[in-house]
Amino acid sequence: AYRKGAISTQDMRRATEQMAQLNKGAGEAMSAVGINEPRGVHAATDITGYGLLGHGRNIAEASRVTLAFRVEKIPFFEGALAFAEQKINSGAMKQNEDLLAGQIEVGAGVTEAQRRAIFDAETSGGLLISVAAESAGRLKQELEKRGAGAAEVGVVEARGKFMLRLV
């Protein structure tokens, strides 16, 4: 959007500040909850490059589970859905979509703009963290205490027909 002159310098500055945030606080929060413990963090990955779904697929494949993402819970940068509606996205969006063909179920309630934005690549995204359900609240508190935003975007399910689901 910035290269096409569709985003203001101020909005681009906010996005750049977000992308420059380090994951040190998130790492500390995960350690506080416990890593590789039954009630702790089970998996984590950054969502840079292949975006949320591409990296989510890697977790689902390695763990032999299905990740079900609740689209209404996924945080988007301000204006991202409006750009997606205008078909302003990176070239990697189509590549990510092709990479995941046959591996993802897209629910009927997912809009075209949401689908485009979710498939698009991240230049420098946040982390996707899988944590035991009983520790999700504590992880969120630990993340927020360290200034890292947190959103519960989905659940882990037994492996079904697809590795990923957008609901």
Side-chain angles (χ1 to χ4, degrees), residues 3-126:
R3 282 190 234 154
K4 293 181 180 191
I7 190 172
S8 71
T9 302
Q10 179 183 354
D11 287 343
M12 186 62 197
R13 186 176 305 117
R14 281 200 327 253
T16 303
E17 288 170 1
Q18 174 72 30
M19 290 185 280
Q21 232 181 11
L22 299 177
N23 289 322
K24 181 179 184 232
E28 292 170 349
M30 288 188 287
S31 291
V33 171
I35 297 174
N36 289 330
E37 297 175 11
R39 295 183 185 179
V41 173
H42 300 150
T45 183
D46 74 329
I47 55 170
T48 302
Y50 294 101
L52 177 64
L53 298 178
H55 290 289
R57 178 204 167 275
N58 292 342
I59 289 177
E61 181 177 46
S63 303
R64 297 184 181 104
V65 297
T66 292
L67 299 184
F69 292 100
R70 295 181 183 126
V71 175
E72 77 278 358
K73 300 286 186 178
I74 297 173
F76 293 100
F77 275 124
E78 187 178 329
L81 293 175
F83 291 130
E85 286 174 357
Q86 299 171 50
K87 299 185 179 181
I88 297 175
N89 52 267
S90 74
M93 194 252 347
K94 179 71 172 132
Q95 292 172 333
N96 286 345
E97 192 174 41
D98 291 346
L99 176 72
L100 296 171
Q103 300 174 54
I104 183 166
E105 174 188 12
V106 180
V110 178
T111 69
E112 177 67 14
Q114 290 170 325
R115 189 191 61 73
R116 291 180 72 82
I118 292 168
F119 273 103
D120 210 349
E122 296 283 344
T123 301
S124 181

